[in-house]
Amino acid sequence: MEKTWRWFGPEDPITLDMLRQIGVEGIVTSLHHVPNGAVWSYDEVKKMKDYIEDHGLRWSVVESLPVSESIKYGGEDRDKLIENYKESLANLGKNGVKTVCYNFMPVLDWARTDLDYPNPDGTTNLYFNRAEFAYFDIEILKRPGAEKDYDDETLRRMREEVAPRMSEEARRRLVENIIVKTQGFVNGNITESDLNPVEKFRSLLKLYKGVDAEKLRENMVYFLNAIMPVCDEYDINMCVHPDDPPMPILGLPRIVTGDADINAFLDAVPNPHNGLTFCAGSLSGSAANDVPELARKYADRTHFVHARICNVMPNGDFKESTHLDPRLIDVIRTFETQRPGVPMRVDHAPLMLGDEKMGYNAGYSFHGRMLALGMVSGIMATVNADSKTAKTEK
Ligand code: DNO
């Protein structure tokens, strides 16, 4: 696989020169300064590409070219926004940037309740606590009918364990973690400058009134069919990011959660340019997903790999595991042998050795990711050595 790294542009404190020193080959980035829905001009794309190439690297993957909410819920201006999207794709294609990651998650991109959950070794990790998430939904957002979306045990934990420790400050932090800090940097709907994020969030949820999973899937297929001709013309591989966590949340449908969903959207638009970002970590957020098996099944339609994996507890909470987890080794073996050149980046590593003071985007530490990249590189080298030995023995 090609070793890539998510980099947030020239303002990122982690510079391209630093990345070259740690074995990064390709860059994953976005035009973060262009507002969601606007066209990425040829010149802006070229400027970014030249900047990366001037530093001895290449722009391997766009993550993300965001899909506007209106395309997802099927708003009146969706055709105009799809035209903009096609123009952006063509401008990327003309510049030779040909792998584009996006997601089709309504309103909220990815979700965690805790961004610095302490590990026994002194590092911290991202964490998803179902009972805290229920508290946000029921007690802060006050979404009508929210209670019925949680099992009795989660509601019990929420009332007995979470509610008593929810001070004003803890409530503020929970809101910040779930809808602000994880969203702004991915060109999401809510940014740090929004004064009333909860109110804004409520109005975003209203946009999806009447949009169920079937309607959302229909809108995704409509979008994919509309953009495929541009992808064919420029040989652009689209790769949808799985839903994180892979289940309906906050009353919103989610349609890229596991085997059946992946099968459905690949089948609906059978063009090889319609593919998947194999985010092992997102898929592992549901105990129902056999992630190594999914990797084997969908390797040929995967255009981009996110290397990380989670452990799900019996109560549904989940936490990022080590990049040396045997399931991740299995996934890496699959892609390294079946899709040797596919771009791969490590994802969501712990905060360690001073990362916590640097204000990095949630999940995107320097030391933690560097260690993870070292681990994944070691696994790749071992897989390659093993297959060379196997060939010699034949
Ligand atoms: C989180 C990321 C996601 C991802 C988008 C792709 O860390 O994996 O925000 O970039 O969903 O559109």
Side-chain angles (χ1 to χ4, degrees):
M1 293 184 285
E2 179 192 24
K3 293 171 197 161
T4 66
W5 182 279
R6 191 176 199 180
W7 171 78
F8 294 97
E11 311 285 294
D12 193 327
I14 303 166
T15 66
L16 295 178
D17 291 338
M18 288 161 75
L19 297 181
R20 278 208 346 269
Q21 294 194 19
I22 62 170
V24 170
E25 297 160 340
I27 293 301
V28 174
T29 195
S30 178
L31 297 187
H32 290 283
H33 56 285
V34 179
N36 193 324
V39 173
W40 288 16
S41 71
Y42 177 89
D43 289 347
E44 283 298 316
V45 172
K46 179 151 183 2
K47 207 160 111 194
M48 178 60 89
K49 177 184 147 93
D50 287 349
Y51 184 92
I52 295 170
E53 288 180 358
D54 287 348
H55 289 79
L57 288 161
R58 58 177 169 263
W59 188 358
S60 303
V61 180
V62 174
E63 180 174 357
S64 292
L65 179 53
V67 177
S68 311
E69 290 304 326
S70 167
I71 298 179
K72 295 179 190 169
Y73 66 80
E76 276 174 14
D77 53 349
R78 79 164 155 179
D79 289 329
K80 170 81 192 77
L81 289 160
I82 291 178
E83 282 312 309
N84 288 359
Y85 204 96
K86 284 160 70 179
E87 244 183 89
S88 302
L89 286 176
N91 290 332
L92 285 162
K94 286 176 195 157
N95 276 291
V97 183
K98 297 186 171 190
T99 304
V100 176
C101 170
Y102 69 101
N103 73 71
F104 224 81
M105 290 177 253
V107 184
L108 201 59
D109 185 318
W110 59 300
R112 292 293 182 279
T113 52
D114 202 336
L115 308 181
D116 45 15
Y117 183 85
N119 292 318
D121 61 7
T123 63
T124 65
N125 249 333
L126 303 170
Y127 193 96
F128 184 88
N129 180 314
R130 261 190 85 71
E132 285 184 8
F133 195 79
Y135 183 89
F136 166 77
D137 194 1
I138 297 167
E139 301 294 338
I140 298 181
L141 195 58
K142 298 190 187 301
R143 183 172 62 88
E147 292 220 3
K148 71 173 176 5
D149 288 353
Y150 299 91
D151 57 86
D152 290 348
E153 174 55 13
T154 302
L155 293 174
R156 185 202 62 75
R157 283 171 66 210
M158 180 193 88
R159 277 190 298 265
E160 292 174 16
E161 295 166 20
V162 178
R165 61 176 158 81
M166 277 291 155
S167 61
E168 260 323 294
E169 172 54 19
R171 285 166 68 100
R172 192 195 56 73
R173 201 164 336 112
L174 192 60
V175 168
E176 195 173 83
N177 289 349
I178 297 177
I179 63 175
V180 184
K181 282 205 163 161
T182 44
Q183 304 301 303
F185 77 91
V186 288
N187 295 22
N189 290 309
I190 293 182
T191 62
E192 309 249 351
S193 58
D194 283 313
L195 296 178
N196 194 340
V198 174
E199 213 26 72
K200 182 160 182 202
F201 197 77
R202 284 194 191 108
S203 56
L204 286 160
L205 288 183
K206 285 202 192 109
L207 297 172
Y208 283 84
K209 206 158 178 268
V211 179
D212 57 10
E214 198 186 329
K215 184 82 202 142
L216 186 65
R217 195 167 287 123
E218 217 176 279
N219 293 345
M220 181 177 176
V221 170
Y222 181 90
F223 163 73
L224 285 169
N225 279 326
I227 63 170
M228 278 301 121
V230 187
C231 297
D232 290 339
E233 185 175 348
Y234 294 98
D235 191 23
I236 292 178
N237 285 327
M238 293 301 295
C239 30
V240 72
H241 189 282
D243 305 332
D244 181 359
M247 57 203 65
I249 53 169
L250 306 173
L252 296 164
R254 303 269 233 177
I255 54 169
V256 192
T257 62
D259 193 15
D261 284 351
I262 298 173
N263 219 7
F265 88 84
L266 291 177
D267 244 29
V269 183
N271 186 323
H273 290 126
N274 168 33
L276 178 67
T277 294
F278 196 91
C279 179
S282 298
L283 292 166
S284 67
S286 158
N289 285 334
D290 180 342
V291 180
E293 196 46 46
L294 291 175
R296 278 186 279 279
K297 184 161 178 193
Y298 294 109
D300 63 332
R301 292 289 286 272
T302 293
H303 303 309
F304 183 29
V305 176
H306 284 183
R308 69 178 177 89
I309 198 112
C310 293
N311 285 319
V312 185
M313 332 285 163
N315 61 14
D317 289 6
F318 64 84
K319 180 181 157 188
E320 314 282 340
S321 175
T322 165
H323 287 73
L324 291 176
D325 186 301
R327 292 166 300 157
L328 192 57
I329 296 178
D330 195 336
V331 168
I332 291 166
R333 182 180 296 115
T334 297
F335 288 111
E336 190 58 12
T337 50
Q338 295 186 28
R339 300 296 312 276
V342 77
M344 173 282 306
R345 71 170 179 83
V346 294
D347 197 15
H348 295 185
L351 290 171
M352 63 199 313
L353 305 172
D355 284 333
E356 60 285 359
K357 296 193 203 82
M358 295 296 292
Y360 294 132
N361 291 329
Y364 295 91
S365 62
F366 180 60
H367 294 112
R369 275 192 294 165
M370 177 169 71
L371 181 60
L373 178 61
M375 291 171 173
V376 172
S377 301
I379 300 166
M380 284 165 60
T382 308
V383 168
N384 286 321
D386 282 354
S387 53
K388 273 203 194 99
T389 318
K391 271 187 205 132
T392 330
E393 279 169 1
K394 264 188 204 158

